[in-house]
Amino acid sequence: MTFSFTHLTSALALAAGLAVAPLMANAAESEGIVVYNAQHEALTQAWADGFTKETGIKVTIRNGSDMQFANQIVEEGAASPADVFLTENSPGMTLVDASKLFAPVDADTLAQVPEIFKAADGDWVGVAARSTVFAYDKTKLKESDLPKSLLDLADPKWKGRWGASPAGADFQAIVSALLELKGEDVTKSWLKALKENATPYKGNSVAMKAVNAGEIQGAVIYHYYWFGDQAKTGENSKNVALHYFKNQDPGAFVSISGGGVLASSQHKKEAQAFLKWITGKGGQAVLRDGDSFEYAVGNGAQSNPKLVPLAELQAPKVEPSKLNSKQVTDLMTEAGLI
């Protein structure tokens, strides 16, 4: 794709004005960047559209799941065609990072995000976040009936009354946080109770629909499924309310969506600029103004006003780079959940 000199000059000037990293003069004329995207397709497309509009740099998106792409990147190694990897949850980022396949994130980009939302080694950065919640049938349960802790769902009194989507990356990230916070013995015991007590569903939205339909009384999901449905017709959540565990409970875990530039990228300047744009004002405004209902994580960035503020969630402190996908999947396989 070719651009006129005027088009290119104005695009670069606008990008600079928005604090996008300086780009090569021919950046807009290159083939652009390839993003392995495990985030929600509509959200990443909105990010890509905004970035391309301001910089002229083309973004090609390939969609998949967290661990699918993480394992693919490890297998591809230096031959990966991807420039950027975006995930819904951080364990996929940790797997790639452990294989030393990320380039360090530019310091200017890291400075846009609080320490709690980025990897300790600076090789990937948070781009959005989501909160664990207990979605419950408000026609059947009162607040006094709700579990005080995620661990309470292991009580036999909850047998047959709640559900989850154990095979999904979302739920496995929650289990990974439980493992980091409470250790292997507690996690094994909770997973055993999960197998005995809970009804498995394929996907958080399906689990929420089951609550709404009266099949179960509650489900462990991420918050934005409820907000997204409420913003549409509300037909799958009209009987559902959200319970936030708070109190630094494992059930108050906030999962970080990550972004990183691959060390093998042949377009690192453009890839770094994309990551900077997402974590900056433009990309975080997409979270505030759009309908993804995920939390903004940039310094001073505002989330959608319909959400419970991040500061009020009382989430436990979990170092994202310590969330272990392999050990979690091993434990869940042992428990017969996946």
Side-chain angles (χ1 to χ4, degrees), residues 19-100:
V20 175
L23 306 176
M24 297 182 297
N26 66 345
E29 298 181 351
S30 75
E31 62 266 39
I33 60 173
V34 173
V35 176
Y36 278 5
N37 175 52
Q39 245 294 350
H40 291 169
E41 295 181 18
L43 173 58
T44 299
Q45 189 63 60
W47 278 334
D49 290 345
F51 174 72
T52 299
K53 182 178 180 180
E54 293 185 7
T55 66
I57 299 171
K58 179 182 176 182
V59 179
T60 298
I61 302 172
R62 298 182 182 176
N63 295 304
S65 66
D66 282 0
M67 299 315 297
Q68 170 199 341
F69 273 140
N71 285 304
Q72 183 174 327
I73 290 169
V74 171
E75 183 176 340
E76 291 172 343
S80 178
D83 299 293
V84 175
F85 180 35
L86 298 180
T87 62
E88 286 191 330
N89 302 284
S90 58
M93 304 301 294
T94 301
L95 177 61
V96 175
D97 198 11
S99 298
K100 308 298 182 184

Side-chain angles (χ1 to χ4, degrees), residues 275-298:
L275 206 55
K276 185 175 184 181
W277 192 89
I278 289 177
T279 55
K281 290 183 178 180
Q284 296 296 288
V286 170
L287 294 168
R288 180 194 65 210
D289 302 331
D291 57 4
S292 71
F293 295 102
E294 296 193 51
Y295 284 99
V297 296

